[in-house]
Amino acid sequence: MNAVDKGANLIVPGMPTPVSIDEQVAKLKKTLLKDIQRSAYVYRVDCGGCNGCEIEIFSSITPVFDAERFGIKVVASPRHADILLFTGAVTRAMRMPALRAYAAAPDPKIVVSYGACGCGGGIFHDLYCVWGGTDKIVPVDVYIPGCPPTPYATIYGFAVALGLLDQKLKGTHLIQGEDDRVIPAFPNIPLDVRVMVEREARRMAGYLQGRQIAEKFLGLFDLKSPGEASAQLTQYLHEEADPRLSEIVMRLLEVTKAALA
Amino acid sequence: MLKLLKTIFKAGEATTQYPFAPAEVSPGFRGKPELDGLRCIACGACTMACPANALSMETDLDAGTRTWQLFLGRCIFCARCEEVCPTHALVLTSDFELSVANKEDLYQRATFKLQNCVECGKPFAPAKEVEYAMALLVQAGNTPEAVEASRAHYQTCPACKRKQNLNHPSQPEMGRYINQEVHK
């Protein structure tokens, strides 16, 4: 008894121990992941999600995206399933039902962690009643991030799980070079004018669109005489043909001219 | 029967060709956030804005580095990081093919160097951020020579600046608000 490492099987309060799989099952699973060669039945396990993921799963089996082309079928019982799709951040209440669904599915089974909550807890990762991700309770084979993943992302995730497509995303680590230096954008426009244009655009069009409009506007205004800039902007507005955009850009032109005069 | 067939042929095929053909996403689609390491000044604005804490920054004072990290598994693609980025270094691309088999591949990292204080030698801010602030001062109307002349001042940490001001009260460098003449 003394030879056994006491820490190995110790259940730490508040820290879940993921279910482990034995060697034989792991071997079978490897072949299943590599090439399934038959239809894959999917059982959807909701571990306390917001239902956004469920809606996207069901829209990916509609005729428009049609995951059933690849033999992927959503079934109603974990006993029929090859793939278990865990959505949600694993709340305290849904942990046991999730483990029961996992135990009910026949071996070998592929576990897919679906959505931001499933992959890493998402926006709920530090809540008091949340375990924070599927991999805290069961071993996960494929992660499909997204909040929620679009039907395209879902199909791609299934294709990765079934070995039809290869994983594209790789972990990266950039290291800063010796002489990296950031040059401020639009060096010919005075800083206060640039700030004023950005603020005005954001006030009128909202944060993200305002910034995009300000960037486009400053790009067209840069380095040019006011007359030339007006001509270019008029042409741009004519191409876009959006009265809301025209309104904002004309206002920006007005305030910029006033500030530069 | 014929009428039904006619309707079917008229409707055409509704199913998308993906994954056998590339999928088209709508304009404004928010996909994977992509960091341009050359434009990033490691200011940390994105990490403050991120509601899901997918973005985080860790400062290693011993190594003099600051590491930016994006955990895509937690990202909710809200684009608030793109909104707040002062140098437009972080942009959401239309890339949606993010599924991975290995969780490590969901982490994107970038390491930046910290600026050591010229007085005490301790790191206090990212080197690129200090350089960018100096470039902005030039853009705001100061001459490049004047900004370059007080380089040592910008590369001093706040604690050392306070000490300097206490030791040399005749030449305080209190910042623009105090040195500026106040107009009523």
Side-chain angles (χ1 to χ4, degrees):
Chain A
M1 269 308 275
N2 291 338
V4 178
D5 181 10
K6 276 183 184 169
N9 293 319
L10 195 73
I11 295 163
V12 185
M15 283 297 287
T17 321
V19 177
S20 53
I21 48 172
D22 62 42
E23 222 172 280
Q24 184 62 26
V25 176
K27 216 169 140 191
L28 282 169
K29 199 163 161 177
K30 228 175 201 172
T31 24
L32 195 68
L33 272 171
K34 211 171 161 195
D35 196 4
I36 190 162
Q37 291 190 331
R38 60 182 161 85
S39 290
Y41 284 8
V42 175
Y43 180 69
R44 186 186 52 72
V45 189
D46 184 340
C47 319
C50 70
N51 246 24
C53 287
E54 276 72 29
I55 292 168
E56 294 299 309
I57 291 163
F58 287 120
S59 68
S60 63
I61 56 168
T62 56
V64 177
F65 300 101
D66 206 8
E68 291 191 10
R69 280 180 292 172
F70 317 107
I72 295 162
K73 191 173 182 309
V74 177
V75 293
S77 165
R79 294 187 195 284
H80 302 159
D82 298 303
I83 300 179
L84 288 172
L85 206 56
F86 285 82
T87 64
V90 190
T91 56
R92 193 191 56 189
M94 288 311 286
R95 180 174 146 264
M96 268 330 282
L99 285 173
R100 279 174 60 199
Y102 180 81
D107 280 326
K109 52 206 162 198
I110 299 173
V111 176
V112 177
S113 190
Y114 191 85
C117 295
C119 291
I123 202 157
F124 307 113
H125 68 99
D126 52 358
L127 251 61
Y128 70 97
C129 59
V130 150
W131 294 105
T134 315
D135 55 350
K136 298 275 163 61
I137 56 165
V138 288
V140 176
D141 299 303
V142 174
Y143 296 86
I144 309 180
C147 188
T150 58
Y152 285 135
T154 309
I155 291 171
Y156 177 76
F158 281 139
V160 169
L162 300 176
L164 300 170
L165 290 176
D166 287 331
Q167 172 187 330
K168 282 185 188 161
L169 186 70
K170 288 271 173 274
T172 56
H173 195 157
L174 290 168
I175 308 283
Q176 185 191 340
E178 275 307 312
D179 290 322
D180 283 0
R181 194 172 282 211
V182 184
I183 299 150
F186 313 115
N188 301 306
I189 294 171
L191 185 64
D192 49 351
V193 175
R194 194 185 109 196
V195 171
M196 190 198 62
V197 166
E198 280 177 354
R199 277 190 190 156
E200 186 66 14
R202 281 176 165 170
R203 187 181 71 79
M204 294 185 80
Y207 226 83
L208 186 62
Q209 275 78 17
R211 202 187 93 167
Q212 285 160 354
I213 292 169
E215 201 174 336
K216 185 80 194 167
F217 173 81
L218 291 168
L220 288 172
F221 200 84
D222 204 11
L223 260 184
K224 293 177 190 93
S225 64
E228 199 184 338
S230 298
Q232 283 234 2
L233 282 168
T234 319
Q235 199 200 336
Y236 162 63
L237 291 178
H238 184 71
E239 279 167 16
E240 292 287 323
D242 188 343
R244 297 165 301 174
L245 185 70
S246 308
E247 173 88 22
I248 295 161
V249 170
M250 290 331 275
R251 168 81 186 141
L252 292 182
L253 189 62
E254 204 178 290
V255 293
T256 314
K257 274 183 179 166
L260 288 174
Chain B
M1 179 74 184
L2 267 177
K3 202 178 165 191
L4 181 67
L5 274 175
K6 217 171 149 188
T7 317
I8 290 168
F9 282 122
K10 215 171 157 188
E13 196 172 327
T15 310
T16 55
Q17 289 302 305
Y18 188 79
F20 306 111
E24 261 184 44
V25 294
S26 50
F29 178 82
R30 301 191 300 271
K32 178 189 170 229
E34 192 90 58
L35 181 80
D36 182 355
L38 293 176
R39 291 201 64 80
C40 180
I41 56 168
C43 64
C46 49
T47 63
M48 299 300 283
C50 185
N53 299 353
L55 287 162
S56 58
M57 264 196 189
E58 219 169 286
T59 309
D60 185 350
L61 288 176
D62 296 328
T65 56
R66 178 178 267 191
T67 303
W68 174 94
Q69 178 184 281
L70 164 64
F71 175 36
L72 275 168
R74 199 173 281 164
C75 179
I76 58 164
F77 306 93
C78 62
R80 282 178 72 175
C81 47
E82 187 182 343
E83 284 174 9
V84 298
C85 185
T87 55
H88 301 191
L90 195 58
V91 178
L92 266 71
T93 58
S94 57
D95 185 11
F96 60 86
E97 292 171 325
L98 306 174
S99 303
V100 292
N102 182 8
K103 199 176 183 182
E104 263 309 296
D105 287 333
L106 288 173
Y107 288 93
Q108 316 282 310
R109 295 189 181 93
T111 303
F112 300 97
K113 285 180 199 127
L114 292 177
Q115 176 73 52
N116 287 335
C117 170
V118 287
E119 288 284 317
C120 61
K122 284 181 191 152
F124 71 100
K128 280 170 97 180
E129 194 177 8
V130 177
E131 289 288 339
Y132 185 71
M134 288 168 70
L136 277 186
L137 283 171
V138 173
Q139 202 187 9
N142 297 298
T143 59
E145 293 78 28
V147 173
E148 197 56 40
S150 40
R151 172 175 279 274
H153 173 66
Y154 300 126
Q155 295 183 343
T156 311
C157 71
C160 288
K161 267 183 205 159
R162 275 199 291 278
K163 269 185 214 157
Q164 276 177 358
N165 289 344
L166 284 173
N167 293 338
H168 309 283
S170 56
Q171 320 140 336
E173 291 243 36
M174 301 288 245
R176 60 187 171 132
Y177 296 109
I178 291 172
N179 288 335
Q180 253 173 15
E181 203 178 331
V182 180
H183 297 287
K184 281 267 164 176

